[in-house]
Amino acid sequence: MRARHVLPAALLTLTACTTGPTLETQGTVTAPPGDSKHLTIGTAGFTESDLLAQMYALLLDRAGYRTKILSVTNRELYEPALEAGQIDVVPEYAATFADWLNAKVNGPDATPVGSPDLATTMTALRRLAAPRGLTVLDPGKAVDQNAFAVTADYARQHKLHTLSDLGAAKLPVRLAAGDECVQRPYCEPGLKKTYGIDITAVDPKGVGTTQSKQAVQNGQDQMVLTTTTDATLDAFGLVLLVDDKHLQNADYIVPVVNRSRAGSKGVTKALGALNTVLTTGDLASLNQQVDSWRRLPKDVAKDYLVSKGLLRS
């Protein structure tokens, strides 16, 4: 049985009666993993996060838990609530969450700990999460990384399959992306340094926005920054170029749980079932059903789990 709620303002005030570790006890979490039968699942409120939260809820329901879903719009709100036990489970992205926790612990100028290597990223993430009373479960196959797309015609004309191919072609490239692209190591600087791509300008139309894709579609720009689970590329005649030198960080999907409430083997087993089936391509398809077909995330999530034999119809 599940319900959907919006985070109340009172949740922002974390008091001494919460279940997460205090500043004095962080780093010395010794309590056994908890197994509350009533769990709150957080979602960041965008399509992919909503879908993952719905799948988590359905899998936990099947395993005998009672769940509700709480929509929280940003990490600055839901991460403290997760530590406090006001949220028990959230879908996260390994490298992004590792860097976010690292900045929270060591300051905004801390050297990033997320990397293209999944094992290295997970080690850093778990080291940062554990003292805060959080357990990071195993990643699956699905990854939502930054990615770069060109038109299928452009790729065919210049025989492009990878970003290395684009660098070797020595073509001038105007890139549609967010305005921060000129500084971010995964974007313009990384494309130049790692691949030798001649970025002549960054067109600040946003990451994966309709405007950005249209600018590439009509030839105003040659490439767009989007994500690996973007389900609308075909509609614009775009294809992804493979990040063959692994410029992008390992943003694999990982469930993060409050250890004192949801650190049990039951929760781990229930959520781990998704790792056996969910792929990046699957996630893109599910996103498309919600964003383009206007289906409800709950219905899409249920149909997917039924199709994979993880849930009965």
Side-chain angles (χ1 to χ4, degrees):
M1 180 176 180
R2 287 175 290 120
R4 185 181 180 88
H5 301 268
V6 177
L7 184 74
L11 190 56
L12 303 183
T13 304
L14 306 182
T15 67
C17 64
T18 59
T19 59
T22 64
L23 290 176
E24 291 75 20
T25 60
Q26 282 180 5
T28 58
V29 178
T30 57
D35 193 28
S36 172
K37 295 303 179 182
H38 294 78
L39 298 175
T40 299
I41 300 164
T43 166
F46 58 91
T47 296
E48 188 166 287
S49 187
D50 286 347
L51 280 164
L52 290 164
Q54 291 288 351
M55 285 190 278
Y56 289 1
L58 288 163
L59 290 170
L60 288 167
D61 288 348
R62 180 173 179 262
Y65 296 88
R66 291 175 64 86
T67 63
K68 65 180 179 181
I69 293 177
L70 192 65
S71 184
V72 190
T73 55
N74 62 64
R75 195 174 279 113
E76 285 76 10
L77 294 179
Y78 70 67
E79 191 279 333
L82 182 63
E83 287 188 31
Q86 293 164 316
I87 292 175
D88 302 306
V89 185
V90 294
E92 262 294 355
Y93 301 89
T96 296
F97 195 45
D99 284 338
W100 192 89
L101 285 179
N102 186 44
K104 182 175 181 177
V105 173
N106 299 310
D109 297 325
T111 301
V113 295
S115 79
D117 182 77
L118 178 58
T120 300
T121 296
M122 288 296 295
T123 297
L125 174 54
R126 283 171 166 155
R127 184 178 65 246
L128 288 160
R132 313 194 79 82
L134 306 180
T135 297
V136 183
L137 304 186
D138 288 342
K141 306 169 188 176
V143 57
D144 189 352
Q145 295 170 300
N146 294 304
F148 297 91
V150 298
T151 65
D153 289 342
Y154 184 84
R156 192 179 308 109
Q157 178 184 354
H158 299 288
K159 299 180 180 179
L160 306 178
H161 300 283
T162 67
L163 289 170
S164 287
D165 292 340
L166 182 57
K170 303 300 180 186
L171 297 165
V173 175
R174 182 176 164 92
L175 175 63
D179 54 9
E180 72 279 1
C181 177
V182 297
Q183 298 177 328
R184 296 290 172 86
Y186 65 80
C187 205
E188 181 183 359
L191 291 172
K192 289 180 174 179
K193 180 179 179 180
T194 302
Y195 289 107
I197 297 172
D198 180 18
I199 305 295
T200 59
V202 172
D203 186 3
K205 285 185 165 60
V207 179
T209 62
T210 297
Q211 292 83 0
S212 288
K213 293 171 194 170
Q214 287 174 336
V216 177
Q217 183 183 40
N218 64 29
Q220 178 183 344
D221 300 328
Q222 285 72 50
M223 187 162 68
V224 59
L225 170 61
T226 183
T227 66
T228 51
T229 59
D230 188 331
T232 66
L233 295 178
D234 285 348
F236 294 91
L238 304 178
V239 294
L240 294 179
L241 296 180
V242 176
D243 178 22
D244 55 308
K245 293 184 178 179
H246 306 293
L247 173 63
Q248 304 305 320
N249 283 342
D251 260 332
Y252 283 75
I253 310 264
V254 290
V256 182
V257 304
N258 177 287
R259 184 177 187 272
S260 67
R261 288 184 49 80
S264 68
K265 291 181 179 178
V267 170
T268 299
K269 182 179 179 180
L271 298 181
L274 196 58
N275 290 351
T276 64
V277 296
L278 186 66
T279 66
T280 303
D282 289 345
L283 200 49
S285 175
L286 299 179
N287 286 337
Q288 182 181 35
Q289 291 181 51
V290 175
D291 291 337
S292 298
W293 304 358
R294 300 298 184 229
R295 297 190 66 204
L296 294 175
K298 178 180 177 180
D299 294 338
V300 173
K302 181 178 180 180
D303 287 351
Y304 177 76
L305 295 179
V306 169
S307 75
K308 296 298 180 179
L310 299 181
L311 201 69
R312 293 179 181 177
S313 57

